[in-house]
Amino acid sequence: MPLFFLCVHTNVGYKVLAKFICENEDAESIAEALHIIKGWNVWWNPSYFMVDYSTAEINAIEKKFPTALVYICDFHRNQAWNRWVRSGKSGLDSKQQEILLALLQRVANVRDQCKYEAALAKLRKCPVYMTHSNVQDYVGNVWMSCAERWAQAFRKQQVLNIVNTNNGVEAQNKHFKYDYLPKSVDKSVFGIAVLLVELFIPDAYQHYVDTDTNLKQSSLYSKFNDATPPYLHNRPAHFIRHCMRSRFNTGEIQESDVHCLNIDKGEFTV
């Protein structure tokens, strides 16, 4: 039975917030589970999700969170491209495979839409693409039809700054499968549910609280140094140090030294 992880990227890595088991791996079942979790957290309305290339997951998320942007994980996109291109389905020799993968990566990694259109045009004019109808079908129908979900040119800058892959979810999956599941005598759905609720989730939360002195960074734990501005209170230690260093260093920079490149994506040269 399909087991799903709902994670967030925190200052101490990926942390599992919820898990759910469905009878069927379809959009209706996933949406039902998300509806229940949202019912427990009525204020929960994420701006972004990152998933594997799963139409069931994408459709379920967009049904329950109409304003959220759903992106496809970079790692799984590259993995899917490599597997298809290097398989017999592509009909390409090794040199053609490398050419096609390089062109696809170029389309994926350029940061603005003008360069994206140029990279896409170069891909479509490539002999490997033009002479293989199966390549055209795969690239055009499977991937270019949803380019806004994986191409960097269409991603919001704040997402790029935080995370571009859900590998951490995979790591949590393996952690559960190999470190926790073998300890359970009862491998039924009930036994696994008990293991998740009573051991795995509480351990994940406690690790988040204890790691990187998250608990000790609270103003309720100890008084902050008077030199630390109030807006940096209750923040992780490494973040406070980074901001304090940057705050000092900005004294050497004049307004005329800063030039805006892209205000929508928050890109500047200094």
Side-chain angles (χ1 to χ4, degrees):
M1 299 178 71
L3 170 65
F4 290 88
F5 288 57
L6 184 63
C7 299
V8 295
H9 189 246
T10 75
N11 62 303
V12 289
Y14 283 81
K15 293 300 169 191
V16 180
L17 298 187
K19 295 190 175 193
F20 55 91
I21 302 172
C22 296
E23 182 178 359
N24 300 302
E25 194 170 352
D26 55 31
E28 184 178 358
S29 301
I30 298 169
E32 181 184 2
L34 292 174
H35 178 76
I36 293 170
I37 297 170
K38 186 172 173 60
W40 296 333
N41 306 273
V42 293
W43 45 265
W44 181 47
N45 189 31
S47 299
Y48 310 100
F49 280 85
M50 185 157 287
V51 300
D52 300 351
Y53 194 163
S54 166
T55 54
E57 292 178 23
I58 293 170
N59 292 338
I61 291 169
E62 291 185 335
K63 179 179 179 181
K64 300 311 301 181
F65 302 94
T67 60
L69 298 175
V70 185
Y71 293 119
I72 294 173
C73 159
D74 290 359
F75 173 81
H76 288 92
R77 180 201 70 218
N78 290 338
Q79 186 181 65
W81 284 353
N82 273 278
R83 285 176 177 173
W84 188 87
V85 168
R86 300 187 191 285
S87 71
K89 296 178 183 178
S90 70
L92 305 177
D93 60 36
S94 58
K95 184 177 180 180
Q96 291 172 325
Q97 292 171 9
E98 297 305 322
I99 292 172
L100 180 59
L101 286 172
L103 290 169
L104 286 170
Q105 288 295 342
R106 175 65 180 167
V107 173
N109 293 333
V110 292
R111 298 288 289 274
D112 65 63
Q113 294 191 29
C114 290
K115 292 180 180 179
Y116 166 83
E117 294 296 339
L120 182 58
K122 186 175 181 179
L123 168 66
R124 288 172 171 166
K125 292 177 182 178
C126 171
V128 176
Y129 184 91
M130 294 178 68
T131 58
H132 291 79
S133 58
N134 56 334
V135 172
Q136 295 172 25
D137 290 340
Y138 176 73
V139 173
N141 297 333
V142 178
W143 291 99
M144 293 308 165
S145 60
C146 62
E148 71 281 357
R149 299 196 189 279
W150 52 264
Q152 302 283 5
F154 298 105
R155 286 192 184 169
K156 299 291 185 181
Q157 182 64 20
Q158 53 266 44
V159 178
L160 291 173
N161 288 342
I162 297 171
V163 63
N164 55 23
T165 177
N166 59 4
N167 273 3
V169 183
E170 299 293 335
Q172 292 292 329
N173 193 352
K174 291 180 180 178
H175 182 44
F176 173 71
K177 187 179 293 184
Y178 299 116
D179 295 338
Y180 281 81
L181 201 55
K183 299 176 184 177
S184 175
V185 176
D186 185 357
K187 297 297 194 296
S188 67
V189 172
F190 175 78
I192 292 173
V194 169
L195 187 66
L196 290 169
V197 172
E198 295 187 355
L199 193 61
F200 188 83
I201 294 291
D203 283 358
Y205 173 71
Q206 195 59 48
H207 182 263
Y208 169 76
V209 171
D210 294 340
T211 304
D212 199 35
T213 65
N214 275 344
L215 182 63
K216 293 181 180 179
Q217 286 303 309
S218 169
S219 58
L220 298 176
Y221 184 88
S222 62
K223 185 178 182 298
F224 276 85
N225 188 299
D226 291 338
T228 304
Y231 62 84
L232 290 179
H233 290 188
N234 301 307
R235 308 287 189 180
H238 66 275
F239 179 74
I240 295 175
R241 289 193 295 269
H242 167 76
C243 289
M244 293 297 286
R245 284 195 301 267
S246 299
R247 189 166 177 258
F248 176 79
N249 292 336
T250 56
E252 301 176 359
I253 299 172
Q254 304 298 317
E255 185 176 348
S256 58
D257 297 325
V258 182
H259 303 280
C260 179
L261 295 179
N262 187 327
I263 191 64
D264 293 330
K265 292 193 173 186
E267 294 180 349
F268 300 85
T269 57
V270 180

